[in-house]
Amino acid sequence: MNILKVLGLLVFPFFVTGAVGLFLSWLDRKVTARIHWRKGPPWYQPIADLIKLFSKKPSEIEEGGKFLYYLLPALSLLFVVVAGSLLWGATFFKVHFQGDVIAVFLLLLAPSILISVRHYRSENAFVSIGARREAMLLAAYGPPLLITLLVAGATAGVPCISAMSDAGTLIAKFPCLIAFVVSIFCSQALLGLKPFDIAEAETEIMDGALGTYSGRALALLYLTRCMMLALAPLLLVSVFLGGLGDGALQVLLWVVKYLAVFVVFVLIKNTNPRIKPEQAVKFFCFGMTPIAALMLCLALLGL
Amino acid sequence: MGLLSRIKTWGLKKSIWVFHVNSGACNNCDIEIVDLLTPRFDVERFGIRLVGSPEHADALLITGIVTRQVKSKVQEVYRLAPKPCIVFAIGACACSKGIFKRAYHAAGPVDKVIKEVDPDAKIVYIPGCPPKPEAMILGVVKALETL
């Protein structure tokens, strides 16, 4: 059983998160297309994109050389794979440790932190602005997202993903319900989706820091982004909506919950325009953070 | 052709990310390019997607005569795009300078400007003032046949 667990923890993070991420990336584009009354891309589109990107060489490498150019995408992917390992491990194998939800939170934030640090002082104005916006957004949505996870931890009694999953549907309690709504907005910013895609604003700052990457490095970042698409809803479902139960019906219900959270992300993305950086900061610092803090107080009081 | 090459070619044919460059157009061709993304034509069905950076692009959609001021920028954009990169000269101006043939400010047409930096560049001509979206889709199909 231990060997199976270890194999599961090695295989799941990469292949399953990758496969689910690529599927959700297609679903995102398909749902977006249907909202626009378009047909949308075929199911194999993300696979074709990934193969194409891996088969292309980067146009030119500036600032720091080849090693640093590939290091950031590789590290980003590694951190997200480890986050996937913890999340899938907690969901399927009940592998856990005290405070693993905090570890997952930090690992999911790692790609944004790396991009901000690496490109903060880039000579390319668009890249530098993108990195600064990423850092600013990170400082804005990070604290409320962490607090919402702590709300669930306080309600479940322990900040551990398995314990929260076993505690059942936490959103039945008022503080967790509000924390869940706050965490959806924070996850939207974490994934860089509209209305919080200010760090990559294509038509404004030409994809920001991502604009310097092409070929295989971009393929790694593309895969990282797809995996994040798979893990953000998984984190919210595991923490707030309960884990996998026993029996086919329970598993089906879990899948429906997972896809429903993801479709909510896509709907928010498609019904909101991109907001200004200062609006995003105000929204999180003066709106979401106080609400999340209040819910944490209520949860600690046992309400 | 080996299996790996066939997979690579399949990826290139099924996923074309385009970057739009206005090099001095009147905006008419640009409007027709945007038409391609609308529900009526929906080129995302074929894996075609507009991207925000030339470094992500597999194809450049260049409209306009290429003015003297913008010539070096167009060449820089082409240099930044990872190869293979197909250049689409969209509209009469981009193909042959159109009515601006003898204008003082024209450095184009597109093929001349791009071939200064890469003599082997693949260039697809889509004439018209402006060309219809159907013509652009036909141009893309013909370009893909060369891959």
Side-chain angles (χ1 to χ4, degrees), chain B:
Chain B
M1 196 189 282
L3 181 67
L4 204 63
S5 302
R6 271 191 288 174
I7 292 173
K8 278 183 183 178
T9 310
W10 177 81
L12 280 173
K13 283 186 175 182
K14 295 291 177 186
S15 164
I16 308 149
W17 291 3
V18 298
F19 182 72
H20 175 205
V21 186
N22 182 327
S23 61
C26 66
N27 221 26
N28 218 344
C29 297
D30 307 318
I31 292 168
E32 295 301 315
I33 286 174
V34 176
D35 262 4
L36 288 173
L37 305 169
T38 58
R40 186 175 178 85
F41 299 101
D42 185 23
V43 285
E44 202 185 5
R45 283 177 297 159
F46 314 119
I48 300 172
R49 185 178 152 195
L50 210 56
V51 289
S53 167
E55 302 209 33
H56 300 174
D58 308 305
L60 299 178
L61 304 182
I62 306 182
T63 57
I65 51 170
V66 187
T67 60
R68 286 197 303 192
Q69 195 177 19
V70 88
K71 180 185 170 186
S72 61
K73 278 90 173 175
V74 170
Q75 290 174 334
E76 177 70 6
V77 165
Y78 180 76
R79 195 176 62 78
L80 282 172
K83 309 295 175 295
C85 174
I86 303 170
V87 175
F88 289 88
I90 293 182
C93 299
C95 291
S96 63
K97 291 202 277 188
I99 59 167
F100 299 101
K101 198 167 180 67
R102 291 181 186 168
Y104 72 97
H105 64 298
V110 166
D111 55 356
K112 184 185 149 204
V113 171
I114 295 295
K115 287 199 171 176
E116 277 179 24
V117 286
D118 180 8
D120 301 324
K122 277 187 182 176
I123 298 175
V124 178
Y125 303 89
I126 303 174
C129 185
K132 284 187 171 188
E134 291 93 332
M136 293 185 205
I137 294 172
L138 182 66
V140 173
V141 171
K142 287 193 171 176
L144 291 181
E145 282 170 2
T146 66
L147 287 174

Side-chain angles (χ1 to χ4, degrees), chain A residues 29 33 36-42 44-45 47-49 51-53 55-60 62 69 202-203 206-207 210-216 218 222, chain B residues 7-8 10-12 14-17 19 37-40 42 44-49 51-59 76 79-85:
Chain A
R29 290 172 71 174
H36 295 166
W37 290 91
R38 291 189 286 113
K39 195 178 170 189
Y44 53 75
Q45 194 56 58
I47 300 167
D49 289 345
I51 290 171
K52 187 268 312 268
L53 288 173
S55 68
K56 288 194 114 180
K57 286 182 182 169
S59 47
E60 65 171 31
E62 291 171 354
Y69 187 78
E202 304 96 20
T203 46
M206 298 175 81
D207 275 335
L210 289 186
T212 57
Y213 292 94
S214 57
R216 281 155 207 159
L218 183 63
Y222 183 83
Chain B
I7 292 173
K8 278 183 183 178
W10 177 81
L12 280 173
K14 295 291 177 186
S15 164
I16 308 149
W17 291 3
F19 182 72
L37 305 169
T38 58
R40 186 175 178 85
D42 185 23
E44 202 185 5
R45 283 177 297 159
F46 314 119
I48 300 172
R49 185 178 152 195
V51 289
S53 167
E55 302 209 33
H56 300 174
D58 308 305
E76 177 70 6
R79 195 176 62 78
L80 282 172
K83 309 295 175 295
C85 174

